[in-house]
Amino acid sequence: MLLIEPETEIYQVTHLPVVKAYADRLGLVAVINQLVPTEMEIDAGTVVLGLVLDTLSGRSPLYQLEEFFEHQDRELLLGRPVPAQAFNDDTVGRVLDRLSQCGTMKIYSECAVRACREVGLQQQHVHFDTTSQSVYGDYRREEDQEGAINLTYGYSKQKRPDLKQFVIATLCVDRAVPIFGQLEDGNASDKRVNNELLTQIAQIMARQGVAPGAYIYIADAAMVTEANLAAVGDELFITRLPASYKECDRVVQEAVQAQNWQDIGVLAETKPTKNRPVAFYQAYESQVTLYGKTYRAGVIHSSAEDQRQLKRLEREVNASYQALEAQVVAATRQEYFCRADAEAAAKALIWLASEYHRVEVQVQERPNYGPGRPSLHHPRKVNQMRYGLKADIQSREEVIQQQRQAAGCFVLLTTVPREGELAHDAGELLRAYKEQQGVERNFSFLKDPVIVNSLFLKRPERLEALGLVLLLALLIWRLMERSMRQYIATTGRSLTGWDKKLTQRPTSLMMTSKFIGVMVIKRGDCRQLVRPLSTVQREYLQALGVSEAYFIEPRAG
């Protein structure tokens, strides 16, 4: 009897089994299949899982999908044997259309609710931000497609003004985990999007099981408009007061002159470097009035002063000196025939003092002597006494120092009380607002503009499906990072980071770099790792709460 050896296949699975494990935790495939039933050969949930895996694979995402899956262990990553041809343009396009018909944001909301329930997300601080996503490809929006997303040019946060883009608005909680997202036109302004979300936020949070008044809305300075402050109503919020408001300058000057700072200390969790020295924070409590309503204002001073503001101050000080110097030089060259005229000129010169400089002036006698050599025994004869000015420009160091201090200040605007259940002192306000920086780094895992198949751009509905895929990928990316950070906070242990140095701030990108060389060998239905996982890789899996079996045992989602 002839025995046929099973075919041997080798796959480089990298970190993708970890992504699959987190998708299983969310019940991603089951949720989508429940909301998006199809009679196709491949279910919608599996297609979306494949798109998310591709997005987080580290390559240019969502481009040549069928080719990508030809080189993957599809049974291991998708939970069942799926032919690579299932990810052809026609099949994926039909799934995208079905996603749009069922409501992409409805699908995402259900997944976000599952995430909150599964991992217990903290939802006291709700951060709003937008990010622009550039895409290559041709896209045409028909004139009769009212309400469709307009893929167009706008302010590019990816620094690619040459590419068309769309905007994704998100609400994030607990280490920048997105619980809500929606697509906007490529030229949508943060101010308008803020206003739209403020009218919906109570309903959005209610779907997450959070009652009104139990959360604080946090947004950047684009929130501060008359319409947005009216729309926020009784909701608690924290934002930054734009420097363009006169009340901002007034309250900063009030804080600088009062010198009644409350020390907050250092907030940074990372070690300082030569280019990024540690910042020490102080706060001053006050109030501002905007559009007829009084708000709590916290003036925050950072020792890492705003370099742009300092350069502006330096330019103003130099311009002040140069303007005075020109007038002083001209005045000191002038001679007067009587002291009264010289004293009048001196007073006029003193009045030319600026905000940053004052002029000290003395009237000097300038005798005009007769001809001949001076005698050793007799004083020289003065034919006529004339008068001139001696002037010296002095810096107002106290004023300049105050302005330098003001350059390191910004103002937090808030309705959060100082007392009560959700009370925040100035330090807590600042810590909550600084979490916004994590939200602004969302989608950083997409190194390049999304190079997508034209199938995503044929219809606006498919563009919405693209937004759903990116949001789901972001959700999993952030949940992985959150798990690692929580593991460190709970155990006190560190993980191996960049350059083999221990870190207590691991990132998902850092994690993916540790699994680059992981390969699986498959013979028939049996799988094993080409080489055992390293100690570092096992430590990461422990922090992620993922079993090593995910690398060798297919699991249905």
Side-chain angles (χ1 to χ4, degrees):
M1 182 176 178
L2 181 64
L3 296 177
I4 301 176
E5 289 288 333
E7 184 180 359
T8 299
E9 300 168 284
I10 298 178
Y11 298 100
Q12 187 169 358
V13 297
T14 63
H15 62 280
L16 293 182
V18 176
V19 176
K20 170 66 163 61
Y22 272 75
D24 288 351
R25 286 186 189 180
L26 298 179
L28 179 66
V29 173
V31 168
I32 292 177
N33 286 340
Q34 181 181 1
L35 296 174
V36 191
T38 68
E39 297 180 359
M40 298 169 57
E41 183 179 350
I42 183 171
D43 58 276
T46 299
V47 171
V48 171
L49 173 59
L51 294 173
V52 170
L53 287 166
D54 180 53
T55 301
L56 296 179
S57 66
R59 72 176 197 124
S60 295
L62 307 178
Y63 184 66
Q64 296 180 338
L65 295 165
E66 185 176 344
E67 180 180 318
F68 170 72
F69 281 104
E70 283 179 357
H71 305 286
Q72 301 298 323
D73 188 341
R74 297 179 295 280
E75 183 179 10
L76 180 68
L77 297 180
L78 300 174
R80 64 188 185 90
V82 176
Q85 293 76 14
F87 288 90
N88 63 63
D89 287 1
D90 290 339
T91 302
V92 175
R94 289 199 300 272
V95 170
L96 296 175
D97 292 338
R98 289 289 295 134
L99 292 173
S100 179
Q101 291 168 9
C102 294
T104 55
M105 292 306 104
K106 175 184 176 182
I107 296 169
Y108 185 76
S109 178
E110 184 61 31
C111 292
V113 169
R114 288 284 292 269
C116 292
R117 189 164 58 241
E118 175 68 24
V119 302
L121 296 175
Q122 298 294 323
Q123 300 184 80
Q124 185 183 82
H125 295 152
V126 183
H127 293 264
F128 164 81
D129 197 24
T130 63
T131 185
S132 60
Q133 189 57 59
S134 302
V135 294
Y136 291 100
D138 190 22
Y139 172 85
R140 292 180 176 85
R141 181 187 187 219
E142 302 297 335
E143 293 182 0
D144 60 347
Q145 290 178 316
E146 186 176 351
I149 299 301
N150 185 16
L151 189 67
T152 186
Y153 300 103
Y155 174 72
S156 175
K157 296 184 180 181
Q158 291 185 306
K159 311 301 182 185
R160 291 301 307 266
D162 57 313
L163 297 178
K164 290 184 178 182
Q165 65 178 24
F166 59 89
V167 170
I168 302 179
T170 58
L171 290 177
C172 299
V173 299
D174 200 356
R175 299 188 186 278
V177 177
I179 60 170
F180 173 84
Q182 67 182 24
L183 266 65
E184 300 288 343
D185 294 344
N187 57 359
S189 72
D190 283 6
K191 293 179 180 179
R192 179 185 64 78
V193 178
N194 237 312
N195 186 264
E196 292 176 356
L197 267 183
L198 284 170
T199 61
Q200 306 174 48
I201 188 169
Q203 298 175 352
I204 295 170
M205 296 308 296
R207 287 199 296 269
Q208 301 294 327
V210 183
Y215 57 86
I216 300 170
Y217 180 79
I218 304 173
D220 62 18
M223 175 190 167
V224 185
T225 67
E226 184 174 8
N228 289 345
L229 291 176
V232 77
D234 296 328
E235 300 282 359
L236 300 179
F237 71 84
I238 303 171
T239 187
R240 182 168 176 165
L241 182 61
S244 56
Y245 280 75
K246 291 182 180 179
E247 278 288 82
C248 182
D249 182 64
R250 181 195 65 77
V251 76
V252 167
Q253 294 301 327
E254 175 188 317
V256 169
Q257 292 172 16
Q259 290 296 306
N260 187 23
W261 299 103
Q262 168 194 342
D263 288 341
I264 295 175
V266 176
L267 299 186
E269 298 177 7
T270 55
K271 293 182 179 179
T273 64
K274 181 179 180 181
N275 295 326
R276 295 190 65 180
V278 66
F280 185 89
Y281 292 96
Q282 297 175 302
Y284 172 84
E285 289 271 8
S286 187
Q287 293 181 329
V288 295
T289 301
L290 302 176
Y291 307 110
K293 186 174 180 179
T294 301
Y295 297 92
R296 180 184 175 190
V299 181
I300 307 297
H301 176 262
S302 168
S303 59
E305 296 165 326
D306 189 327
Q307 294 302 313
R308 290 173 301 176
Q309 295 290 338
L310 286 177
K311 288 180 180 178
R312 178 187 58 78
L313 175 62
E314 184 179 346
R315 288 195 300 269
E316 290 179 355
V317 172
N318 288 338
S320 167
Y321 183 87
Q322 291 170 6
L324 275 179
E325 184 181 39
Q327 297 181 77
V328 165
V329 169
T332 54
R333 289 175 179 172
Q334 184 73 34
E335 287 191 340
Y336 301 91
F337 289 93
C338 69
R339 176 177 287 275
D341 289 344
E343 290 177 347
K347 289 180 180 179
L349 193 58
I350 290 173
W351 277 102
L352 293 177
S354 69
E355 180 182 3
Y356 303 115
H357 296 94
R358 65 178 182 273
V359 185
E360 294 182 354
V361 186
Q362 294 179 337
V363 175
Q364 290 183 325
E365 293 181 346
R366 296 179 183 177
N368 186 3
Y369 298 102
R373 298 178 61 185
S375 171
L376 295 176
H377 306 290
H378 303 286
R380 297 181 68 183
K381 181 180 179 181
V382 177
N383 284 347
Q384 189 176 29
M385 182 61 70
R386 296 182 182 178
Y387 300 90
L389 304 179
K390 179 183 178 182
D392 187 26
I393 302 174
Q394 297 288 333
S395 298
R396 299 181 187 270
E397 290 299 336
E398 182 179 349
V399 173
I400 294 174
Q401 184 57 35
Q402 286 183 348
Q403 292 301 320
R404 284 200 180 101
Q405 194 173 39
C409 292
F410 60 93
V411 180
L412 293 180
L413 185 73
T414 184
T415 53
V416 176
R418 295 182 179 88
E419 299 178 352
E421 187 176 353
L422 288 181
H424 284 50
D425 61 24
E428 290 167 332
L429 288 178
L430 178 60
R431 288 182 181 89
Y433 183 77
K434 293 283 282 185
E435 292 172 1
Q436 186 78 2
Q437 293 177 352
V439 179
E440 292 167 355
R441 289 193 295 269
N442 277 345
F443 296 107
S444 59
F445 60 84
L446 294 174
K447 302 176 185 176
D448 302 307
V450 181
I451 306 175
V452 300
N453 269 339
S454 60
L455 68 95
F456 281 99
L457 306 178
K458 286 182 178 178
R459 302 191 189 102
E461 295 83 359
R462 292 187 179 180
L463 192 61
E464 293 178 8
L466 169 61
L468 172 64
V469 171
L470 293 180
L471 281 169
L472 290 171
L474 174 61
L475 177 62
I476 290 174
W477 189 259
R478 284 303 188 189
L479 287 175
M480 293 190 298
E481 186 170 299
R482 177 186 179 276
S483 294
M484 292 185 288
R485 299 285 179 93
Q486 279 203 324
Y487 170 81
I488 287 174
T490 302
T491 65
R493 299 176 185 174
S494 298
L495 292 173
T496 303
W498 304 119
D499 300 324
K500 298 182 180 180
K501 296 178 181 178
L502 293 179
T503 180
Q504 293 196 325
R505 292 176 57 81
T507 65
S508 292
L509 180 61
M510 189 182 294
M511 179 274 293
T512 64
S513 72
K514 306 304 177 186
F515 290 86
I516 288 176
V518 177
M519 302 177 74
V520 169
I521 185 168
K522 177 187 176 186
R523 293 187 181 91
D525 293 332
C526 297
R527 291 173 176 79
Q528 67 181 60
L529 292 166
V530 171
R531 64 173 60 90
L533 295 179
S534 67
T535 301
V536 170
Q537 290 166 340
R538 287 196 176 98
E539 287 174 348
Y540 268 93
L541 290 183
Q542 185 177 1
L544 289 159
V546 174
S547 168
E548 187 175 334
Y550 262 96
F551 286 81
I552 55 175
E553 297 176 6
R555 302 189 180 196

